[in-house]
Amino acid sequence: DIQLTQSPSFLSASVGDRVAITCRASQGISRYLGWYQQTPGKAPKLLIYATSTLQSGVPSRFSGSGSGTEFTLTISSLQPEDFGTYYCQHLNTYPLTFGGGTKVDFK
Amino acid sequence: QVQLKESGPGLVKPSETLSLTCTVSGYSISSGYYWGWIRQPPGKGLEWIGSIYHTGSTYHNPSLKSRVTISVDTSRNQFSLNLSSMTAADTAVYYCARNTLGDGGVDPWGQGTLVTVSS
């Protein structure tokens, strides 16, 4: 099975900061990686799929990059509504797996 | 607009089997995509349970071994999850969702339903 390791596990930042979250896969997954945002009490929301394609309606301050085994989610200017937990997930093959999550909190 | 909604018991006794149903609206399951189940224990991360293709092919998390059964009822536009031999470790919010393989992701998701395992 493919394991995904996210870092950092916790991130504290200020409004306007540039934030980056990394996801490393235990083996190559081509470009088949997605990113999700989850706020308390809500279902996860797909932000980015296929490494860098923004889901419809997602603000352009979110971007994704990478290939193979290392991927990055970047928020160019953190906004108050961006707090929550972010997860990566591979869709290369079954079984699907998620990263452990990165909780984004505000200073 | 595609919407999914989970239904089933909120409380299950240890050793019993959990049965959940996901009702899909705004899209016909038989038209394609995979349809899956994902769970999240309180305060923890996301765990993929399994998915079913509209043709009936199923895929599941090896860690759950033979406890998982996923089925589809295209006539009702529903798919279901059975998870046997429930223990306290299975207490979680259970989500149903549509997923792809390769390009794409898990979207949309149901609102989730909390299942507690307790006697």
Side-chain angles (χ1 to χ4, degrees):
Chain A
D1 300 357
I2 297 170
Q3 309 302 317
L4 296 177
T5 303
Q6 276 184 246
S7 59
S9 300
F10 182 82
L11 190 158
S12 184
S14 301
V15 172
D17 283 353
R18 183 180 182 88
V19 163
I21 299 169
T22 298
C23 181
R24 290 188 174 87
S26 60
Q27 63 190 75
I29 56 172
S30 185
R31 65 179 186 277
Y32 304 134
L33 187 101
W35 290 96
Y36 302 81
Q37 176 196 44
Q38 186 179 35
T39 53
K42 299 290 189 182
K45 171 188 171 185
L46 177 65
L47 297 175
I48 289 172
Y49 61 91
T51 296
S52 59
T53 304
L54 247 59
Q55 178 71 339
S56 176
V58 174
S60 59
R61 63 180 179 272
F62 291 92
S63 64
S65 62
S67 67
T69 61
E70 187 152 336
F71 302 85
T72 303
L73 171 70
T74 302
I75 308 173
S76 61
S77 177
L78 197 66
Q79 298 302 302
E81 61 268 30
D82 297 338
F83 82 94
T85 303
Y86 292 80
Y87 295 94
C88 60
Q89 182 206 26
H90 85 81
L91 294 109
N92 187 62
T93 186
Y94 288 117
L96 306 179
T97 51
F98 290 89
T102 296
K103 186 173 182 180
V104 176
D105 203 351
F106 288 89
K107 285 183 181 176
Chain B
Q1 180 186 1
V2 183
Q3 293 185 314
L4 295 87
K5 187 171 184 179
E6 306 87 355
S7 59
L11 181 65
V12 176
K13 289 182 168 58
S15 80
E16 291 188 342
T17 295
L18 169 67
S19 294
L20 294 176
T21 296
C22 183
T23 300
V24 180
S25 58
Y27 188 88
S28 173
I29 285 180
S30 58
S31 294
Y33 284 98
Y34 295 91
W35 304 88
W37 293 94
I38 294 151
R39 70 180 182 178
Q40 184 172 38
K44 295 189 178 181
L46 300 166
E47 179 182 35
W48 174 76
I49 298 171
S51 297
I52 188 166
Y53 197 50
H54 67 96
T55 57
S57 299
T58 56
Y59 308 84
H60 62 267
N61 192 324
S63 70
L64 296 171
K65 296 182 181 177
S66 58
R67 296 174 55 209
V68 174
T69 303
I70 298 175
S71 59
V72 64
D73 185 343
T74 54
S75 67
R76 296 187 175 190
N77 221 35
Q78 295 175 332
F79 61 104
S80 299
L81 168 70
N82 278 8
L83 184 61
S84 63
S85 305
M86 294 283 282
T87 71
D90 296 311
T91 293
V93 174
Y94 286 75
Y95 296 99
C96 63
R98 185 178 73 176
N99 75 265
T100 63
L101 266 189
D103 287 334
V106 179
D107 182 78
W109 297 60
Q111 63 187 21
T113 186
L114 175 63
V115 177
T116 302
V117 183
S118 175
S119 56

